Amino acid sequence: MGHTEDIFDRAKRTIAERGLASAETPVLLMVSGGSDSTALAYVARDLHDAGIVGPIAMLHVNHRLRGKDAEGDQAFVEKLAQLLDIPLFSCEIDIAGEAARTGENVEAVARHERYLAANEALESLCLHTAAPLSEGRIFTAHTQDDRVENFYMRSIVGTGPGGFRSMLYRNGPVVRPLMDTSRESLRAYVEERAEKGGIVQRDESGNLWREDATNAHTDRFRAYVRHEIVARAKERNPQLLDTLCRTMNLIADEDDMLESQAAKAVERFAAWIEADDALGIDYGAGCVLAPDYASEPLPVQRRACMQVLQLILGADARVETASIERVLAGFADGEPVGGYTNNIQGDLAVSANKRGVRIEPMAAYRARRKKA
């Protein structure tokens, strides 16, 4: 079987086995013009034509970081969208300027702005197709290579619970249908498609996709891992991608089990401070973890605490390990530590008494103390 059929079948199988999309699902494709996302565009067009996914559209974000090369990427994707008859959302964002303004890392800003644009484009696509936004999906072209690189990056800098599963097949609306496929296979798929006379887009130099020269700069963390660590690991085990991804899927199964247990612990032991049957829960107001929370196994306590802090701080916040440790320090010997207080990220106060461990905004904690 050639790569053309193999990649399509693999993506189809991943979508079916993981429940990532259906024949009615509106799908937004994030396409940069590189080999992986170009392959994603071809595969998605075929998936749509086969009735496996619903209406499709593409998004290209020009980060304005690479001058004429970035303009070339944008032109390539525009022509690719026309060739495949796929509606295109396109935008330009001054990432360097935004990073300078906020003081954040350029790559982090680029990712944030890219997904912000993707969510806006998905909302427009769902509105146009009369589909609920909750049913829409954002397809990215992440591969086995990306997942393995993330694994080694986290091995170097450390990670929290579940971090070594590396990537999720689905994270909210974001879906990775090519994550069971290698980058090398995707490139062979595009090349084979061209050799067989299939519809392909070429840039002004005749290339089947656009290369980002910065991917070879090993002063960048991911490029360093890709060229210096993963490449050498492949020399020792040529089947590294398949082997390590199978291992990560085993980790993911156990991670899902623990996350489920943690969610049940949150439901049982977290009493939200501002919860109204009619108005719902104001997670930002904080909660009280009941004394019996300490009876849960420590790994479940950690994960439940992470879930609680994520709700309080918001979905975009990165929950710090130190914050989790400081909350759990409010329990000792299976019960709350009376008089314990601490301050954690987000200017949250943690305090403990016989009724449990309370997590709340510092302003609310001070107001309560003043009244007392």
Side-chain angles (χ1 to χ4, degrees):
M1 179 181 291
H3 286 97
T4 301
E5 296 85 2
D6 187 40
I7 296 300
F8 173 82
D9 289 342
R10 200 172 304 170
K12 177 181 175 181
R13 185 169 63 250
T14 299
I15 290 171
E17 290 178 351
R18 305 282 173 178
L20 302 180
S22 72
E24 292 76 37
T25 302
V27 172
L28 179 75
L29 314 171
M30 296 185 73
V31 182
S32 66
S35 61
D36 300 350
S37 66
T38 298
L40 174 67
Y42 295 135
V43 173
R45 176 76 254 184
D46 291 344
L47 289 170
H48 171 72
D49 292 343
I52 295 166
V53 301
I56 57 176
M58 288 167 52
L59 168 69
H60 178 76
V61 179
N62 182 345
H63 295 153
R64 294 172 60 183
L65 291 171
R66 296 166 43 244
K68 290 184 178 180
D69 285 338
E71 294 174 7
D73 294 346
Q74 184 171 343
F76 176 84
V77 174
E78 288 172 353
K79 292 177 181 177
L80 178 64
Q82 292 174 3
L83 182 72
L84 296 176
D85 193 24
I86 299 176
L88 174 68
F89 294 92
S90 184
C91 63
E92 296 184 21
I93 304 174
D94 181 10
I95 295 299
E98 183 66 13
R101 185 184 69 80
T102 61
E104 295 182 60
N105 175 274
V106 169
E107 292 183 3
V109 171
R111 185 183 185 283
H112 173 77
E113 294 295 331
R114 190 163 59 247
Y115 279 98
L116 186 64
N119 280 286
E120 291 176 355
L122 180 64
E123 184 175 358
S124 178
L125 173 62
C126 289
L127 183 64
H128 180 73
T129 58
L133 180 58
S134 60
E135 293 183 8
R137 298 290 182 267
I138 298 168
F139 274 19
T140 69
H142 291 106
T143 64
Q144 287 180 317
D145 299 75
D146 295 301
R147 196 178 184 192
V148 167
E149 288 162 12
N150 269 19
F151 179 89
Y152 282 110
M153 290 168 72
R154 292 176 180 183
S155 298
I156 293 170
V157 302
T159 185
F164 284 123
R165 73 186 295 165
S166 187
M167 285 183 169
L168 298 169
Y169 284 90
R170 179 184 169 191
N171 186 13
V174 178
V175 165
R176 302 177 173 105
L178 302 181
M179 208 163 70
D180 292 327
T181 306
S182 70
R183 182 174 298 121
E184 182 181 3
S185 294
L186 289 181
R187 293 187 172 194
Y189 158 77
V190 176
E191 290 168 346
E192 184 178 290
R193 185 184 180 99
E195 290 170 2
K196 290 184 174 181
I199 297 176
V200 293
Q201 178 60 41
R202 296 180 184 271
D203 69 5
E204 66 279 1
S205 300
N207 299 313
L208 291 167
W209 58 77
R210 299 281 298 177
E211 291 285 2
D212 183 349
T214 61
N215 286 336
H217 295 178
T218 54
D219 57 330
R220 295 192 176 192
F221 188 25
R222 180 175 292 277
Y224 167 77
V225 168
R226 178 179 301 174
H227 299 293
E228 299 294 332
I229 296 178
V230 175
R232 294 190 180 187
K234 284 181 178 179
E235 292 175 3
R236 200 50 91 88
N237 177 11
Q239 303 302 316
L240 176 72
L241 297 183
D242 289 335
T243 301
L244 193 48
C245 285
R246 278 197 300 270
T247 299
M248 286 188 279
N249 282 340
L250 293 175
I251 293 172
D253 288 342
E254 296 184 3
D255 182 49
D256 288 340
M257 180 189 71
L258 284 169
E259 282 295 292
S260 176
Q261 291 181 5
K264 291 177 182 176
V266 172
E267 187 176 343
R268 289 174 61 196
F269 301 119
W272 297 96
I273 294 171
E274 292 290 339
D276 186 283
D277 290 340
L279 300 177
I281 299 173
D282 177 10
Y283 293 110
C287 74
V288 178
L289 298 175
D292 286 346
Y293 182 84
S295 66
E296 290 292 307
L298 185 56
V300 175
Q301 287 186 47
R302 289 197 190 101
R303 286 170 179 267
C305 184
M306 175 175 279
Q307 291 181 13
V308 164
L309 292 178
Q310 197 74 70
L311 289 169
I312 295 173
L313 295 168
D316 292 334
R318 184 184 181 90
V319 177
E320 298 171 1
T321 300
S323 296
I324 295 173
E325 291 174 350
R326 289 171 186 169
V327 171
L328 297 187
F331 295 97
D333 299 323
E335 59 185 24
V337 179
Y340 174 83
T341 61
N342 217 316
N343 177 234
I344 62 174
Q345 68 180 110
D347 201 23
L348 295 176
V350 181
S351 57
N353 58 32
K354 63 182 181 181
R355 291 186 293 274
V357 172
R358 189 181 185 99
I359 309 167
E360 63 188 327
M362 183 60 72
Y365 169 76
R366 288 172 176 159
R368 283 195 309 105
R369 296 283 293 178
K370 188 175 182 179
K371 287 181 181 179

